[in-house]
Amino acid sequence: MGPFAQIEKVGDIVIDVGLVGGTGYTGVELLRILVQHSEVNLKVVTSRGEDGTPVANMFPNLRPFTDIRFSVPNVDALCECDLVFFATPHGVAMEMAPALIEAGVKVIDLGADFRIKDVEEWSKWYGMDHTCADLVEEAVYGLPEVNRAAIQQARLIANPGCYPTATQLGYLPLIENGLVEPHSLIADCKSGVSGAGRQGKINFLLCETSESFSAYGAAGHRHLPEIRQGLRLANQGQPIGLTFVPHLTPMIRGIHATLYAKLTKEVDLQALYEQRFANEPFVDVLPAGSHPATRNVKGSNYNQIAVHRPQGGDTVVVLSVIDNLVKGAAGQAVQNMNILFGFEENAGMTQPAMLP
């Protein structure tokens, strides 16, 4: 395939898609998936700083797949799309989404603007006032393994964060069935550096992150209220207690969540997890005794899970891994798009993970 050749569209339905914020790691990962999707026509990709520049100039890996150029965000142009993704910092989507939704455009926000239902809580963690609380109330939290039916009918989808995805999926079978003490959960999570975004900050330079490993946000992290909210719903609305500590690891991609809980009932943990996720196309419960690695899911939309009960005691240890840019961001967003428009749920994401 030569430069700028187009993927042949083979589906019965082709939707026009826009992307606001196409220059970050999440944005380019979303583009990588979308240009391979047979039901998608990539219509608009925005960047204020790169207006008029071919997307492939910034991301040469996309050169054989698209000749689209960046453009300044314009609501009128975006209103010509069937769906608009926002891969933007918090505060951007909530300013533009109301006009798009009023025009009948579906919106999937990969940022944090619509994830937390309590707007006062959101403002506390994100340091600004929310401008459209009515849409927060309407937004569907885009974790397909929990909200698939609601996603199908949504106008606005709040794509989950990366840490919340790995953590919630790992805990769900235990919490939903009331099998563990809900007030003493511990999530010990590690992320690759791409989770910090495509930005020139000293803390994320190679010389700062290589050959090093450190915790951050131990006193409180923005993803904590999002995880608590999801687990509280899984716990039939009852409060949960969670200690969540994220870590930065010297790798580009991946999240490894090691999750701890105290059992309150006897249960076959392996059977529990296999049954809960038996019909989930992107959750892979590994055989008993397995230890998933982030490399197993690199570049894929899969969540690999293994569950352990050390020495047969009352502590459950769940190991949950994802690619933070795919199942933790862009891939899950496309999964939500596929559900929303009635496409095959794995459309555009049938490739296995990359090894090594």
Side-chain angles (χ1 to χ4, degrees), residues 127-345:
M128 62 174 66
D129 292 332
H130 207 291
T131 60
C132 51
D134 55 332
L135 285 182
V136 174
E137 184 176 353
E138 175 185 340
V140 174
Y141 188 66
L143 193 63
E145 294 78 10
V146 174
N147 290 328
R148 185 171 282 105
I151 291 166
Q152 292 174 337
Q153 307 299 322
R155 298 194 303 171
L156 170 62
I157 296 173
N159 209 60
C162 48
Y163 283 127
T165 295
T167 301
Q168 288 177 83
L169 290 176
Y171 271 132
L172 277 178
L174 300 171
I175 303 297
E176 289 172 340
N177 292 283
L179 298 173
V180 293
E181 163 55 51
H183 302 297
S184 57
L185 305 175
I186 298 174
D188 180 18
C189 301
K190 295 88 175 173
S191 175
V193 184
S194 62
R198 190 169 182 258
Q199 50 189 323
K201 290 188 176 181
I202 290 177
N203 289 349
F204 308 130
L205 297 176
L206 176 65
C207 290
E208 303 295 325
T209 59
S210 183
E211 303 298 324
S212 183
F213 177 87
S214 61
Y216 65 99
H221 185 277
R222 287 172 173 172
H223 283 168
L224 177 61
E226 180 183 345
I227 301 170
R228 281 179 175 166
Q229 174 181 270
L231 295 182
R232 184 172 65 249
L233 291 174
N235 195 34
Q236 300 182 344
Q238 297 303 307
I240 61 100
L242 174 69
T243 299
F244 166 59
V245 181
H247 299 73
L248 187 65
T249 62
M251 62 183 182
I252 295 173
R253 292 171 177 257
I255 281 182
H256 189 300
T258 305
L259 312 172
Y260 302 88
K262 291 292 184 182
L263 273 176
T264 57
K265 300 177 183 178
E266 284 297 318
V267 63
D268 183 335
L269 291 170
Q270 187 68 24
L272 174 75
Y273 274 76
E274 290 179 357
Q275 291 167 10
R276 173 60 176 86
F277 296 117
N279 297 316
E280 294 300 337
F282 288 114
V283 180
D284 180 16
V285 178
L286 299 184
S290 299
H291 293 78
T294 56
R295 62 178 281 171
N296 298 358
V297 296
K298 184 179 179 181
S300 84
N301 198 50
Y302 282 93
N303 169 216
Q304 282 194 347
I305 293 178
V307 58
H308 295 259
R309 189 175 178 180
Q311 295 85 54
D314 63 356
T315 298
V316 182
V317 178
V318 183
L319 310 177
S320 175
V321 300
I322 62 172
D323 185 321
N324 57 293
L325 295 178
V326 191
K327 183 60 172 169
Q332 187 148 253
V334 173
Q335 186 180 357
N336 281 314
M337 178 193 76
N338 289 339
I339 295 169
L340 182 61
F341 286 92
F343 304 143
E344 291 293 326
E345 196 162 327

